[in-house]
Amino acid sequence: MPDLHPAPLPAIACAAGGTGGHLFPAEALARELQRRGHPVVLYTERRGAAFAQALDGLDHVVLPARSLEGGLAGKAAAALTILRATWQARADMRRRRIRALVGFGGYPSFAPALAARSLGLPLLLHEQGARLSLANRKLLRFADGVATSFPATAGLDGFDSARIVDTGNPVRAAILQARGAYPMLDGAAPLRLLVVGGSQSARVFGEVVPPALLQLPEAVRRRLHVALQYRGEGADAIVATLSGAGIRATVRPFFDDMGERLREAHLVITRAGATTAADLLAVGRPAMFVPIPHGGSRDEQRRNAEALAAAGVGWCIPEPEFTAPRLASLLAEVLSSSHALPDAARAAAALGRPHAAAALADRVVAMLPRA
């Protein structure tokens, strides 16, 4: 006689930093595991908890977190915060009977990873970028496996290659639902431009994009529908200025309906974070990438942007070169071409990894301890 009450599936935890770049892939995996019947909890910090839509319906725990940056006093305070968060996470994992943890980077993922290892649980790290992040580099010696978003990921030298799997970067359901044909371009249809700076926004876009659009020919301006993510003062003035030039504009500090806006967009102007790139590729939309400047760990965005531009997905504009005249010139060239945007859209769609969440979930399940 069949068992009418099968044993529940093992509970799994995810840990992610507070930015969308870390949290959104964790959400995508959590929902895929939930769909398979696994109880899931997501550990993050207060910034991550602010993404209420992403966490809707997901058990999540907000832990104290603090960056390791700063002098001796700052590092000591961070160590105490990590210790406190580790004990909180450990107690919660024991209560929930967690059987494995997946870490998505960011310093708030550090404490849950240490808690998992102290309990003898398998630890899988997921890396969104083409180079191992600082948190994942620190945790690498504790990891049982690493899942990557790029076939070649820097920073894994010396780690057993048999424990590395290229799953791609999980994409949220709202983004996957936006997949479809590239919007038609003709002489009368609206030209939809989406300008986003990642979950933290980007002030430079609000300073450069509007004056660049004003330099475009009137016939182009009259067709433009612009959605600009801008966090700062002067949003109403930007809308008024663009409207006065015949441009329909929506300016908000954050877009909750990113999937819908990507589906409608003919072109995206954006940063070049790994999760942003994964979303663009999954939907198949061309972009002008403006990577975060400076060096160090943030140099990852420059490598992402250059690689995507070389693959024909769009154009890379270093921020020092991101001026209104430069942008206006490039926009005029691209928008006057009958093939530049559709060709870039096809290149983007060809690189998309829509099944990344399922592939990562397969890897997690394979790591679970056998009963």
Side-chain angles (χ1 to χ4, degrees), residues 63-68 74-92 107-116 118:
L63 296 173
R66 178 167 176 157
S67 170
L68 288 168
K75 286 182 169 53
L80 289 174
T81 300
I82 291 172
L83 182 62
R84 182 159 54 98
T86 299
W87 282 109
Q88 289 182 22
R90 178 186 166 93
D92 190 76
Y107 59 84
S109 70
F110 206 80
L114 293 180
S118 75

Side-chain angles (χ1 to χ4, degrees), residues 60-290:
H60 60 280
V61 176
V62 179
L63 296 173
R66 178 167 176 157
S67 170
L68 288 168
E69 295 178 356
L72 212 54
K75 286 182 169 53
L80 289 174
T81 300
I82 291 172
L83 182 62
R84 182 159 54 98
T86 299
W87 282 109
Q88 289 182 22
R90 178 186 166 93
D92 190 76
M93 288 177 187
R94 293 186 69 173
R95 180 178 66 82
R96 295 176 187 269
R97 298 184 178 180
I98 298 298
R99 291 295 174 261
L101 176 86
V102 187
F104 285 83
Y107 59 84
S109 70
F110 206 80
L114 293 180
R117 293 310 292 160
S118 75
L119 293 170
L121 304 180
L123 170 63
L124 177 66
L125 302 179
H126 181 272
E127 180 54 54
Q128 297 89 59
R131 177 187 180 189
L132 219 59
S133 67
L134 177 60
N136 280 347
R137 288 201 302 272
K138 296 289 187 183
L139 291 169
L140 190 60
R141 60 180 172 146
F142 303 113
D144 295 286
V146 177
T148 63
S149 301
F150 294 86
T153 300
L156 286 168
D157 297 340
F159 194 79
D160 182 4
S161 61
R163 294 188 287 152
I164 302 171
V165 60
D166 174 28
T167 62
N169 195 2
V171 173
R172 295 167 287 160
I175 301 299
L176 292 178
Q177 291 166 5
R179 287 164 54 81
Y182 183 70
M184 292 292 293
L185 279 172
D186 61 48
L191 290 168
R192 300 189 185 277
L193 177 65
L194 175 62
V195 186
V196 290
S199 61
Q200 303 303 305
S201 188
R203 189 176 185 86
V204 67
F205 290 165
E207 296 170 349
V208 172
V209 174
L213 299 181
L214 297 181
Q215 297 179 34
L216 295 174
E218 182 181 1
V220 175
R221 295 200 309 269
R222 295 290 175 184
R223 294 174 58 198
L224 276 176
H225 290 220
V226 179
L228 170 64
Q229 184 191 50
Y230 178 69
R231 194 190 305 269
E233 298 179 359
D236 291 341
I238 291 174
V239 172
T241 298
L242 294 178
S243 297
I247 300 170
R248 296 188 183 184
T250 300
V251 180
R252 294 180 187 169
F254 186 75
F255 291 121
D256 289 321
D257 55 346
M258 188 59 69
E260 180 180 343
R261 293 190 179 277
L262 278 174
R263 180 175 60 245
E264 295 177 348
H266 290 98
L267 175 65
V268 183
I269 298 176
T270 183
R271 290 301 197 190
T275 296
T276 296
D279 288 353
L280 284 168
L281 298 179
V283 180
R285 294 298 178 263
M288 292 180 179
F289 298 101
V290 185

